[in-house]
Amino acid sequence: MNVLTILLVLLILSAAAYFVGQRQALAVGGGSAKQLHSLPSYHGFYTALWVALPAIILLILWLVIEPHVAESVLRANLPQAYSQLTDAELNLRIGEIKRLATGNIVGATISQDLQAAADSYANTMTVSRIAMLLIMAALVGIGFVFARKRISITLRARNQVERVTTIIMFLASLIAILTTVGIILSLLFETGRFFTMVPFWDFLFGIHWSPQTALRADQVGASGAFGAIPLFAGTLLITFIAMLVAVPVGLFSAIYMSEYASPRVRAIAKPLLEVLAGIPTVVYGFFAALAVAPFFRGMGESIGLDVSSESALAAGMVMGIMIIPFVSSLSDDVMNAVPQTLRDGSYALGATQSETVRQVILPAALPGIVGAVLLAVSRAIGETMIVVMAAGLAANLTANPLESVTTVTVQIVTLLTGDQEFDSAKTLAAFALGLVLFVVTLCLNVYALHIVRKYREKYD
Amino acid sequence: MSLAETEGTAPVQAGQAAQAAGEAKMTARDANVYYGDAQALKHVDLDIGTNEVTSLIGPSGCGKSTFLRCLNRMNDVIDGCRVKGDIRLDEEDIYHPSLDVVQLRARVGMVFQKPNPFPKSIYENIVYGPRIHGMVHNKGDMDEIVESSLRRAGLWEEAKDRLEQPGTGLSGGQQQRLCIARAIAVNPEVILMDEPCSALDPIATSRIEELIDELRQNFTIVIVTHSMQQAARVSQRTAFFHLGILVEVGPTEEIFTNPKDKRTQDYITGRFG
Ligand SMILES: Nc1ncnc2c1ncn2[C@@H]1O[C@H](COP(=O)(O)OP(=O)(O)OP(=O)(O)O)[C@@H](O)[C@H]1O
Ligand SMILES: [Mg+2]
C-alpha cells in the first residue's frame, strides 16, 4: 500500500466515523440537539478526528524515521567485502542496493552480494510497512472506541474540534513562514560563502562585471570580476524608464476612472485594465524583443541614431506598460477612499472638477499614490522575463537608454542556467545578487505598505 | 418677521439691489426632484427671505437635504438626480442653461452635516475658495481674508496661533466653524447649512447657534435641523416638510405655537418623526 491509498482509506474511515458520532450524539440527546452542549455535527467531527489524526501523525513520524532505521539495518548486514570501501563508494553501493530493491534500473552489474543485500533490504521495508499498518489499524480502532465512549450530553465537542482546527491552521501558516525563513537562511548562507571568495566591497562597488573563474591558472581571461555596479545601474535605468511610462499613464487613467468615468464605463474599463496585469510576462517579453526593440532600432536608424537591437529603452517601455495596472489600480483605490464629503466641500465652494482633483483629491491621496508607485518600482526591479528577452546580457555601465544593458535578474538567470559547479564563485554570485534583490524589494514593499496603511487609517 | 403671505403668492420683486430684510432672496416654484424614478420632492413652493434664517424641519427622509441641495445645485453631483421646476436667486433662474454653476456656488455657500475640512492647513482651507474665484492676488489679501473669515466664524482667537497646522487637527466644533469660515471667505449671499450641529456637543452647538444669529446681519441663511429647539432659537421662518411635500411654512413663532396643519402639530409635539 502506498501513502496515497493509506490516506484515502483513512479519509473514508473518518467519514464513516463522522456519521457514527453524529448519530450517536443525536441518540444520546434523545433525538434532538437541544440538550447537547455541542451540535451533533461537532460530535461527528470529534469522532472523525480521533479516528484519523493519531493515524496520520503516526504515518508522518513513520515516514520520517523509517528510511534511517532501514538504512542502518542495511549497513549492519552488509557483506564483509564492503567494509574496505571508502565512504563515497559505500554510499554509491547503498544507493544501488536501494534502487535494486525498489525495482529500478541499476548501472552496475548485479553481483550475488548486491542482490542478497537488496533482497534483505526489501524484506526490511515490507516488515516495516506491515508493522506500520497494524499499529495504524490499532490506533484507528482505539480512537474510534475512545471517542464513542466520550460522547455525552455535556461533551464540549465544539470547543475541542475548534481547538484542533486552530492548531491545524497554525501549523499551515507555520509551514509557510518556515519556508520563507529557510529560503532567506540559505540565501544568507550561500552569500556568505560567496563573500569568502570575492570581497564584499569589490562586489558592491566594483564597476566591472565579468563573472568567470579560472579552470587553469594560466588560462586567458582567467580573472573574473564581480563588480555589481553595472547590474545595479542597468536595473535602475530600466526601472526608471518603466516608471516614466507607468506613472503618468497609470495615474491619469486612475484619475479618469475614479473622478470622471461614469459607473458604467468604470465597470468595463477597470477590469479591462487589470487584464494587462494578467498577461504572462513571457508574452510581454517577446513582444518587447520582436516588435518594440526592432521598431526603436528602425526609428533610430531613420534619424541617424545608433540603437542597439537589445535596448534598455525597449525593455523599459514594455515593462512600463506591464506595470500600468499596478499604479492605476492602487491609485484608483486610494482616490476612491478619499471621502465624498471632501469633494462635496470643494464643489460647494464653486470649484470645478479639475480644480477639485488637483487641489483636494490628489493632495489627499498623495501618500497612497506614492505607496502604489513604490510597490510598482519593487515589481519592476524584480521583473525578469522581459529584461531577459529584451534588454541584453552585456554589462555596460551606461546611462544611454539606446544601448543594451543588463539587470540583476538577468544575470541571476544566466549564472544559473546550464551546467554549473555549485561551489564556484560564479554560481554563488547568483545568491549574492538574489540577496541584494530581496533586501531592496523587501524594504520597498515594507515602506510602501507602511505609507498606504498610514493613509488608510486617516480616513477610516 | 414679515412675509405673512402663503407660498405661491409672493409678489415679484422689481429691484434686487437693496432688499429689505425678509424680502425673498431665493424662490422655489413647483420644485420637483427625482432620484431615478422615485420622486423625493413634490411641488414645493418656498421663499427664502433676505437676511433671515429659514429653518427646514421634518422627519428623516422627507426631503430637507434634497431641497437644500437644489438651492446651490449640489444635486448636479449626484448620479440620476433630476430637478424640475423654477428656482431663482434674485430673480435669476439658477437652472437656466446659461447660468454658471461655479458662480452660483460662490453666491450660495454650503456647510455640511459632518465637518469636512480639507486635509490642508487652516490657512489653506480658508483661502481655497477665494483663490479659485480669483478674489485674492497677494499674500496681504489672503492674510486679510483669513483673519476676517475666522473672526466672523468666531474661530480667530483659537486658531490664530496655529494657522499652519492641519484643519483636520481641530476639535469637531472648531472644524465646523472652520467650514463656516471657509464658506464665508468667498463672501456668499446665501449660506445653506445641513444639520450643522448634529455632530457637535451642546456647548459647540450653542456657539454655532450664536454665530448663525450674528451672520444673519450679512447673509441669508437656510438651515436644516432635527432639533425643534434649535429651529425655534435661531430661525425667523420655519418650513415643515413631510414625505417630499412642503406641508406648512410661516414665521417660526406661529409654526411652533399655532400650527395650522395637523401633521405639523403632530410632529412638533413629538407624535411622529
Ligand atoms: N443620492 C440619493 N439617491 C437616491 N435617493 C436619494 C438620494 N438622496 C436622498 N434620496 C431619497 O430622497 C428622499 C429624501 O432624502 P433627503 O436626504 O432629502 O431626506 P432628509 O429630509 O434630508 O432626511 P434626513 O433628516 O435623514 O437627513 C429619501 O427618501 C431618500 O431615500
Ligand atoms: Mg438630510
Side-chain angles (χ1 to χ4, degrees), chain A residues 122-446:
Chain A
N123 210 14
T124 320
M125 291 301 283
T126 321
V127 171
S128 147
R129 275 296 147 93
I130 290 172
M132 180 184 80
L133 284 179
L134 284 180
I135 300 177
M136 237 181 201
L139 278 181
V140 167
I142 294 170
F144 183 61
V145 172
F146 178 75
R148 290 199 57 178
K149 267 235 173 81
R150 293 284 307 274
I151 288 177
S152 67
I153 293 176
T154 54
L155 174 66
R156 297 170 164 252
R158 170 162 44 85
N159 308 29
Q160 302 206 13
V161 168
E162 257 157 29
R163 197 171 321 139
V164 172
T165 338
T166 318
I167 291 174
I168 291 173
M169 289 188 289
F170 172 74
L171 287 180
S173 48
L174 199 65
I175 289 173
I177 292 169
L178 286 183
T179 320
T180 317
V181 171
I183 292 174
I184 295 172
L185 284 182
S186 94
L187 263 183
L188 280 174
F189 179 70
E190 302 295 347
T191 306
R193 290 214 305 173
F194 173 71
F195 285 132
T196 60
M197 299 180 205
V198 176
F200 181 71
W201 298 113
D202 287 4
F203 170 74
L204 217 52
F205 296 113
I207 55 167
H208 193 61
W209 177 262
S210 141
Q212 56 216 340
T213 38
L215 296 177
R216 302 183 312 273
D218 57 344
Q219 201 177 6
V220 183
S223 54
F226 290 92
I229 287 288
L231 311 191
F232 298 150
T235 308
L236 285 183
L237 179 61
I238 289 186
T239 305
F240 180 71
I241 295 170
M243 299 324 282
L244 231 46
V245 174
V247 171
V249 178
L251 202 55
F252 281 132
S253 62
I255 292 174
Y256 174 74
M257 289 297 177
S258 86
E259 303 300 322
Y260 291 91
S262 70
R264 267 228 326 278
V265 173
R266 191 182 141 83
I268 299 170
K270 204 176 177 205
L272 224 56
L273 236 172
E274 274 158 13
V275 166
L276 275 182
I279 298 176
T281 52
V282 146
V283 176
Y284 281 110
F286 60 69
F287 177 60
L290 302 182
V292 179
F295 172 72
F296 281 139
R297 195 179 153 77
M299 285 266 289
E301 264 167 12
S302 67
I303 55 170
L305 271 178
D306 185 22
V307 182
S308 146
S309 62
E310 290 174 320
S311 64
L313 188 61
M317 292 276 278
V318 174
M319 193 192 280
I321 290 170
M322 184 194 80
I323 287 171
I324 288 171
F326 285 80
V327 178
S328 73
S329 190
L330 271 170
S331 310
D332 178 40
D333 287 348
V334 289
M335 279 193 268
N336 269 325
V338 174
Q340 181 63 30
T341 55
L342 286 187
R343 291 185 183 89
D344 289 346
S346 175
Y347 294 143
L349 285 169
T352 62
Q353 198 163 13
S354 69
E355 282 164 342
T356 304
V357 168
R358 258 184 297 125
Q359 302 191 29
V360 176
I361 312 285
L362 281 183
L366 194 64
I369 292 172
V370 170
V373 170
L374 286 182
L375 281 181
V377 168
S378 113
R379 178 69 210 257
I381 290 177
E383 167 53 36
T384 311
M385 217 55 222
I386 295 175
V387 277
V388 166
M389 296 172 83
L393 294 173
N396 292 327
L397 183 53
T398 175
N400 180 358
L402 305 179
E403 274 183 52
S404 88
V405 296
T406 192
T407 69
V408 174
T409 50
V410 170
Q411 287 307 312
I412 293 178
V413 171
T414 49
L415 287 173
L416 293 184
T417 40
D419 286 336
Q420 301 293 348
E421 310 161 67
F422 199 64
D423 46 6
S424 73
K426 189 179 164 189
T427 320
L428 292 175
F431 286 94
L433 289 177
L435 187 67
V436 171
L437 205 58
F438 171 75
V439 170
V440 170
T441 47
L442 182 75
C443 291
L444 274 176
N445 283 358
V446 169

